[in-house]
Amino acid sequence: MIEILEILANPNFWAATIRIATPLVFGVLGALLCERAGVLNLGIEGIFTAGAMAGWMAAWLGAGLWGGVLVAAVAGGLFGLLHAVLTVPLGLSQHVSGLGVTLLATSVAYFGYRTALPDVSSPPRIEPFPPLDVPLLSELPFFGPALFQHTALTWLALGMVVVVWWVMTRTPLGLAIRAVGDNPDAVDAQGLSVYGLRIGAVMAGSALMAVGGAFLTMAAFDAFFFGMVNGRGWICIALVIFASWRPWKALFGALLFGAFDAFQVRLQTAFGEEVPGQLFLMTPYILSIIALVVAARRADYPRALLAPWFKGQR
Amino acid sequence: MIRIEPREPSALTNVAVPVGAAVISLGLAAVPLALAGADILAAFALMWGGVFGSLFAFTETLTRATPLILTGLAAAVAFRARLWNIGGEGQLYLGALAAVAIGSGAVAGPAWVLLPLVMVAGALAGAAALVLPAWLKTRFGADEVVTTLLLNFVILLFVQMMLEGPLQDPMGMGWPQSAPVVEEATLPQLLDRMRLHAGLLVGLAAAVILHGVMTRTTWGLRMRAVGENAPAARHAGIPVTRTLLWVAVLSGALAGLAGVGEVAGLKGYLTADLSPGYGYAGIVVAMLARLSPLGVVLAALFVAAVFVGADTMSRAIGVSSYLADLVVATSLLTVLVGGFVARYRVVRVRTGEARQ
C-alpha cells in the first residue's frame, strides 16, 4: 500500500504517464479521423513503424528534427493514400487492405533500415527532441517535473486534440467528414465528393499515426529498433472505440492507459522479485481488451464504417 | 463519366488472379533489389536455386510450408464465416506450449497414445485461444480483430513466463526454453537426413478434409451462409452464434496444430522465437488461396518458397531477407486488387456525347 502511494506521489510517474500517452494520442486521433469518415485503418501498426523509421532516418541524415517529423507525416500520408485508394474508390475489404498496409509498411521500414545500415549491431543514435521547460511553471515543485518539462511533440499532440476537436465539431469540413462516415448518400446529394473526403481523412489520419511513431524514435528514444512499436497501433484501435470517436475522450483514454502502463512498470520494480515480469507486461494488452469489451455495448459506431460506397449506385 | 458495376467472376479468374498476384509481387521485388544495389537477375537466380536447386532445398521449402498450410487453413475457415481471426500467431504459440507441457516428459506412454494426445492438446489450446475472443464478439459485440491481435501479445508473454518458470528445461543452463519433446511424442521424419516431418501430412489431410466439409456438408453450407449474410442466415433458422463458435474452435485448432508441428516435428523444444510470424503470414496464404482449402496448399508453397529463396539470396549477396516480407505483403495487396478486377468492370456511361 505504501509502495502504491509512493508511486503516485512521485512526479516521475505523472511525467511517464504523459510520455507513454503521447504516441497513443497521435494514433487514436488518426484512427478517429479515418473511422469518422467511414474507413477502418488497420494499417496503423505498420504506419507507426514506418513513421518511426522514416522520421528517425531523416533526422539522422541531417534533415533536422522537425524535418524528420515532416518526412514521417508524408510517409504516413502515402501509406494512407494506398489504403484509401484500395478501400474507397475500389471498395475492397478494409480489414484485408489494412493488414496488407501494415505488413507492407513494416517490411518497407525494416528493409529500408537494413539496406541503409547493413552492418550495424548497435543502432546509431540521434540527438532527440529535448524537454521544453515552460517558463516559471517548470520551476513548480511536483507539477513542474510532472507536467511542464515535456518535449515539443507532446505539446503538438495536445494541440492536435484541440485542432481535431475544433475541425470535427465547429467547421463545415468536420461536419462533412462525420456525415461521410454516417450517410455518404446524403453527402453525395449535397454535391460533395464522398471519395475526396474519405481519401483526405484517411491520409490526414495516417499522417498523424506516423507522427506518433516518430515520437518513439525522436523523443521517447533516440534510435530505431525492430519491433519497437509492439502493438501500440492495435491498442489505439481499441482506444478509439473506448473514446466513442471523440477527441477529448481520446486524450483521456490515452492518458488513462499511460497511467496504467507507467504504474505497472513501477509495480514491476517494487514486486518484480515475487511476481514474473511478464504478468505486468501483459496488463496493457489485457486492459485494452477489457476496455473494448466494456465500451462495445454502448459503442455508437459511425454508421457507414466498413461499408463501401460507389458513386451512382444506391 | 465512368461507372463501376459488378459482374460474375469467371472460373478462370479464380486461378488467374492469385497466380498473377504472385508473379507481379515477385516482379516488383526487382525495385527493392535495385535500390539495394544488387544484380537483379543474379538475385532471382539465387532465390530459384534456394528453392529448387536440390532435393534438400525443396524439402526445406516443404518444411517451411507445413505451418503455413495450417495457419492458412485457420485463416481461410474463419474468414469464410467472416470471423476475422488475426490471432493465428498466438494460437500457434499456445498449441506449441500445450504440446511441450504434455510431450516433454510430463506424461509417459507409447507413441500411439502420446502423439495423438499431444496433437489433441495443442489443437484444444489453439481453439481455446480463439473461442474467448469469438465469445466476446457474440456475447458483448467486442470486435474480434482487435481482441485477437492483442491476445497475440498476451499469449507470447505468457509463453515467455512459462519458459522462464514451470516449463523451463532444468538441463537448459538457464535458457528460456522448454525441455525437449520425448521421442514417443515426436512427429516422424518423412525422409532420411531431411528436416521434413509428418506435420506436412497433417496439413495436407486437413486441407482435403476441410475442402470436403466446406463443399459437401450442411455444416460447411451454414458456415458460408453466416459469412455471406449473417442476418439472412439467422432468418433462415441457422444458429449463427453457435456456428461462429464452432468455426472458432476449428480455426483455432488448426493454428494450434501448426504450433504442435513446429515443436514436435521440427525444433524438438519450445522457445519464444519459434514462429517468424507464421500466424500473420497465414492470413496472406488464405487470401492468396481465395479462401479455398486446396488453394491454401499451393499458396503456402508460394509463400514458403519466397521465404526460403530470400534467405538463400540474402546469405549469398547480403541483401536483407526482409525482402521476403516485402514480396509477401505486396502479394496480399495485389491479390486484393486482382479480386476487384475479377468482380467488377468499369463501364463508360453516356453523358450527352456519343457512346465510345
Side-chain angles (χ1 to χ4, degrees), chain A residues 33 36 38 61 70 82 103 107 126 228 261 263-264 301 312:
Chain A
L33 266 179
R36 269 291 168 115
L61 292 174
L70 189 67
L82 174 64
L103 292 177
S107 46
I126 58 165
M228 76 186 304
D261 203 20
F263 193 65
Q264 65 86 8
Y301 282 84

Side-chain angles (χ1 to χ4, degrees), chain A residues 7 57 67 80 89 103 113 159 168 172 205 220 266 284 298:
Chain A
I7 290 173
M57 180 68 84
L103 292 177
Y113 180 84
M168 293 304 273
R266 279 151 183 81
R298 54 179 173 77

Side-chain angles (χ1 to χ4, degrees), chain A residues 35-289:
Chain A
E35 292 182 26
R36 269 291 168 115
V39 181
L40 174 71
N41 189 352
L42 293 181
I44 183 168
E45 182 83 2
I47 293 172
F48 253 82
T49 311
M53 149 64 189
W56 171 86
M57 180 68 84
W60 185 66
L61 292 174
L65 288 170
W66 287 109
V69 171
L70 189 67
V71 168
V74 170
L78 288 177
F79 282 113
L81 177 65
L82 174 64
H83 181 58
V85 167
L86 294 180
T87 55
V88 179
L90 299 189
L92 294 166
S93 161
Q94 297 179 5
H95 286 109
V96 180
S97 169
L99 291 168
V101 169
T102 279
L103 292 177
L104 183 70
T106 307
S107 46
V108 165
Y110 288 0
F111 184 83
Y113 180 84
R114 264 284 161 257
T115 304
L117 302 159
D119 304 313
V120 294
S121 48
S122 69
R125 299 178 182 283
I126 58 165
E127 192 63 45
F129 275 98
L132 291 181
D133 290 340
V134 180
L136 298 177
L137 291 174
S138 65
E139 311 282 317
L140 289 173
F142 187 81
F143 292 101
L147 303 178
F148 298 108
Q149 294 178 10
H150 287 282
T151 66
L153 283 183
T154 295
W155 295 107
L156 179 67
L158 198 61
M160 288 319 295
V161 174
V162 180
V163 170
V164 171
W165 166 78
W166 185 77
V167 169
M168 293 304 273
T169 58
R170 297 285 186 276
T171 67
L173 176 66
L175 182 67
I177 293 175
R178 283 184 289 142
V180 89
D182 271 332
N183 189 349
D185 282 333
V187 173
D188 186 52
Q190 291 283 319
L192 296 169
S193 165
V194 173
Y195 292 167
L197 281 165
R198 284 190 167 171
I199 292 173
V202 172
M203 286 181 73
S206 303
L208 280 176
M209 295 167 184
V211 175
F215 175 85
L216 296 176
T217 47
M218 303 178 68
F221 307 104
D222 52 6
F224 178 79
F225 305 97
F226 293 95
M228 76 186 304
V229 173
N230 208 10
R232 282 183 178 83
W234 308 135
I235 286 168
C236 291
I237 298 287
L239 281 177
V240 75
I241 300 171
F242 178 76
S244 333
W245 296 269
R246 285 183 170 74
W248 288 106
K249 281 195 179 171
L251 174 66
F252 172 72
L255 284 171
L256 193 64
F257 183 92
F260 275 119
D261 203 20
F263 193 65
Q264 65 86 8
V265 172
R266 279 151 183 81
L267 280 185
Q268 209 176 329
T269 22
F271 298 101
E273 304 275 299
E274 304 107 88
V275 188
Q278 288 92 354
L279 272 186
F280 294 104
L281 293 172
M282 277 179 206
T283 48
Y285 306 108
I286 294 175
L287 279 172
S288 303
I289 294 174

Side-chain angles (χ1 to χ4, degrees), chain B:
Chain B
M1 201 49 197
I2 56 166
R3 202 175 65 190
I4 292 163
E5 59 181 40
R7 64 172 166 190
E8 264 321 290
S10 68
L12 180 68
T13 57
N14 274 333
V15 180
V17 165
V19 171
V23 171
I24 291 172
S25 57
L26 272 177
L28 285 174
V31 177
L33 278 171
L35 289 175
D39 178 346
I40 294 169
L41 288 180
F44 276 116
L46 280 165
M47 283 193 251
W48 178 268
V51 178
F52 298 106
S54 65
L55 178 65
F56 177 75
F58 189 64
T59 59
E60 278 299 291
T61 306
L62 291 177
T63 309
R64 193 70 89 99
T66 301
L68 289 171
I69 292 173
L70 286 163
T71 55
L73 289 174
V77 167
F79 288 11
R80 261 291 149 93
R82 287 280 159 89
L83 179 74
W84 294 103
N85 173 18
I86 323 292
E89 190 77 358
Q91 292 141 26
L92 181 151
Y93 269 104
L94 215 53
L97 190 71
V100 295
I102 290 178
S104 297
V107 180
W112 62 272
V113 177
L114 207 49
L115 194 51
L117 188 65
V118 160
M119 290 175 62
V120 169
L124 285 178
L130 183 55
V131 166
L132 174 70
W135 178 74
L136 291 176
K137 173 196 170 77
T138 55
R139 178 74 180 76
F140 300 101
D143 185 18
E144 77 277 21
V145 175
V146 189
T147 51
T148 52
L149 275 167
L150 291 171
L151 272 178
N152 287 340
F153 293 88
V154 175
I155 291 171
L156 191 59
L157 285 163
F158 180 71
V159 167
Q160 285 170 3
M161 187 169 101
M162 291 292 122
L163 293 180
E164 288 173 19
L167 289 180
Q168 188 172 31
D169 183 4
M171 316 296 275
M173 325 256 274
W175 287 101
Q177 66 182 45
S178 76
V181 175
V182 297
E183 206 184 323
E184 291 82 7
T186 301
L187 284 162
Q189 280 173 293
L190 295 183
L191 293 170
D192 238 9
R193 294 192 308 277
M194 309 280 171
R195 300 203 301 164
L196 192 62
H197 57 87
L200 178 67
L201 304 182
V202 175
L204 292 177
V208 172
I209 293 169
L210 267 180
H211 174 74
V213 167
M214 275 160 86
T215 53
R216 305 270 146 92
T217 66
T218 328
W219 195 80
L221 180 73
R222 279 182 181 178
M223 198 180 103
R224 281 183 293 151
V226 168
E228 263 152 43
N229 191 337
R234 186 171 281 127
H235 191 72
I238 294 174
V240 171
T241 303
R242 192 143 45 97
T243 307
L244 275 178
L245 288 175
W246 277 112
V247 167
V249 169
L250 184 57
S251 171
L254 286 163
L257 278 177
V260 175
E262 289 304 281
V263 289
L266 187 63
K267 299 283 171 67
Y269 55 88
L270 176 59
T271 54
D273 61 357
L274 177 76
S275 161
Y278 288 135
Y280 300 103
I283 295 165
V284 183
V285 168
M287 293 310 296
L288 278 176
R290 315 202 81 200
L291 309 187
S292 132
L294 297 180
V296 160
V297 176
L298 297 176
L301 276 174
F302 167 71
V303 172
V306 169
F307 276 106
V308 172
D311 274 349
T312 311
M313 183 274 308
S314 177
R315 275 194 301 273
I317 55 172
V319 173
S320 163
S321 59
Y322 282 112
L323 183 74
D325 300 80
L326 266 177
V327 173
V328 168
T330 316
S331 70
L332 175 61
L333 293 172
T334 322
V335 81
L336 195 61
V337 175
F340 173 84
V341 176
R343 278 200 320 278
Y344 295 93
R345 66 174 143 228
V346 176
V347 285
R348 285 184 185 281
V349 183
R350 219 163 17 152
T351 50
E353 307 113 31
R355 193 195 281 261
Q356 297 241 338

